[in-house]
Amino acid sequence: MDRFKDKVAIVTGAAQGIGRAIASRLAAEGACVVAADLDADGAAATASACGNGSFAVRCDVSDPADVRLLHERVAAGPGRLDVLVNNAAIVPWVAWDDVDLDHWRRIMSVNLDGVFLMARASSDMMRGRGQGRGGRIVNICSNTVFAGTPNMAAYVASKGGVLGFTRALATELGPHGITVNAVTPGLTASEGVMASPHKDAFEFVEMLQAVKGRGQPEDIAPAVAFLASDEARWITGQTLNVDAGMVRW
Ligand code: NAD
Ligand code: 4PL
């Protein structure tokens, strides 16, 4: 398939895990990927594997100045923006007794403020000078918003915010031909998860899944690519759960 030929896609958190798999999938279908991440080396490795003129930008999505610079790079380089995938997030494992306001604010600033800052700048660019071609925004949420998964209270709250924001932003941007949808992965074997206590939850999660096995980043990317494609133009404000049927809603 060639669904992203001549298209430009920003993927945040593209240095590893689900973000890297999404970047690879969009690039395999022709996209020029802007791999944005705090991890500059990881983002550079993703971009060079992508080809199609893809490039990396070191960016903290919670920092308004970084987000502005990222969009200036896109404007000065490819000069157009078709797709934004808001994937960057902190995936914590923190017992409830250790959740304090500092932790709460840190999670919110990356997982929710970051999605806002990116959506603000990218939607402005999608509507800007010489654009008006519409666009696609896909927000990576989590099935923890349905399951209320333990040891992640601030994270679950931040992702609940992403789900609600997805619905509101779909309303705001629909008149401009920009769709906004969310994907809610279940537990997935990313580098981040495999380096944390979440890795010990696979057996329990698999018991709840309709389809058995261990979720991989490559299992999430096709749903994102579909929602980012031209043919998904009639789908907006929706949440697509991609978790082997762990939760049904
Ligand atoms: P990961 O920890 O393996 O990778 C996250 C990437 O985001 C890293 O490259 C990191 O450097 C980057 N990042 C973190 N903070 C950033 C910031 N402030 N600015 C820019 N980049 C930043 O994570 P993952 O497991 O691949 O998760 C990716 C997305 O999928 C996240 O939104 C996460 O909430 C969601 N998700 C993951 C799972 C899972 O089980 N892995 C399940 C559901 C949802
Ligand atoms: C089911 O989003 O969806 C653990 C860690 N378990 O980050 C997640 C499940 C985790 C999840 C998630």
Side-chain angles (χ1 to χ4, degrees):
M1 279 187 283
D2 236 7
R3 292 181 292 184
F4 302 102
K5 190 171 177 299
D6 300 325
K7 291 190 189 288
V8 178
I10 297 177
V11 181
T12 67
Q16 66 180 45
I18 293 172
R20 186 177 57 204
I22 292 166
S24 303
R25 176 60 189 256
L26 298 181
E29 295 196 41
C32 166
V33 173
V34 183
D37 205 294
L38 269 179
D39 170 4
D41 293 344
T46 297
S48 83
C50 281
N52 310 327
S54 299
F55 59 97
V57 180
R58 200 213 71 92
C59 174
D60 177 348
V61 296
S62 70
D63 180 338
D66 276 10
V67 169
R68 187 171 56 247
L69 279 169
L70 167 66
H71 286 79
E72 284 170 8
R73 289 280 305 277
V74 177
R80 59 179 283 157
L81 180 61
D82 302 285
V83 175
L84 165 65
V85 181
N86 276 314
N87 167 84
I90 300 174
V91 183
W93 193 100
V94 178
W96 169 242
D97 286 355
D98 298 324
V99 175
D100 59 14
L101 188 57
D102 279 353
H103 168 74
W104 181 272
R105 289 204 168 126
R106 193 171 69 90
I107 298 303
M108 290 297 169
S109 83
V110 174
N111 296 12
L112 191 51
D113 299 2
V115 170
F116 161 69
L117 290 170
M118 287 297 303
R120 175 77 268 166
S122 283
S123 66
D124 288 346
M125 190 170 172
M126 285 169 179
R127 287 178 303 171
R129 154 184 65 83
Q131 281 255 329
R133 304 181 192 87
R136 298 280 179 266
I137 298 177
V138 183
N139 294 326
I140 306 305
C141 192
S142 166
N143 77 343
T144 59
V145 299
F146 311 122
T149 307
N151 301 305
M152 321 186 70
Y155 174 89
V156 176
S158 74
K159 293 297 188 177
V162 170
L163 193 156
F165 179 55
T166 298
R167 293 176 175 175
L169 196 61
T171 308
E172 304 292 356
L173 298 178
H176 303 282
I178 301 170
T179 68
V180 188
N181 292 288
V183 168
T184 55
L187 181 62
T188 304
S190 64
E191 285 89 336
V193 156
M194 296 316 287
S196 79
H198 291 298
K199 70 176 184 309
D200 300 322
F202 278 101
E203 202 178 329
F204 175 74
V205 163
E206 191 173 348
M207 185 181 72
L208 302 174
Q209 289 171 197
V211 176
K212 303 304 176 186
R214 178 177 290 208
Q216 299 296 333
E218 293 71 25
D219 295 318
I220 310 305
V224 178
F226 167 62
L227 291 170
S229 72
D230 284 344
E231 65 186 350
R233 65 181 287 269
W234 218 235
I235 302 172
T236 194
Q238 304 303 308
T239 298
L240 178 54
N241 188 41
V242 183
D243 71 348
M246 177 189 141
V247 295
R248 338 277 158 94
W249 77 298

